[in-house]
Amino acid sequence: MTETMDEQTLHERVSQVREQRSFLLNLLEQPDLGTLRLDVNQALEELDELIEEYERVFAAA
């Protein structure tokens, strides 16, 4: 079953993701992160790409 999301809910969820992004940035500051640093960097890059795409789509709307 596919659940639909209204535009307001989508905006709220993206806002939450933006706020939680700082958690990943804080992880990068940990000196003992080791090889997980690569995964955190990758997650940040993908998150940033998704946010940019969201802004492109809704800026055009």
Side-chain angles (χ1 to χ4, degrees), residues 1-5 9 13:
M1 177 184 256
T2 303
E3 184 178 327
T4 60
M5 184 182 315
T9 303
R13 289 193 180 175

Side-chain angles (χ1 to χ4, degrees), residues 14-33:
V14 170
S15 181
Q16 290 173 349
V17 167
R18 284 183 172 141
E19 291 170 7
Q20 294 172 354
R21 183 183 180 276
S22 63
F23 176 76
L24 292 174
L25 290 173
N26 289 335
L27 271 178
L28 283 179
E29 295 174 6
Q30 302 300 316
D32 59 345
L33 197 57

Side-chain angles (χ1 to χ4, degrees), residues 42-54:
Q42 182 68 32
L44 275 169
E45 288 176 17
E46 291 178 16
L47 186 62
D48 289 343
E49 288 175 12
L50 286 172
I51 291 172
E52 287 174 17
E53 174 108 8
Y54 166 83

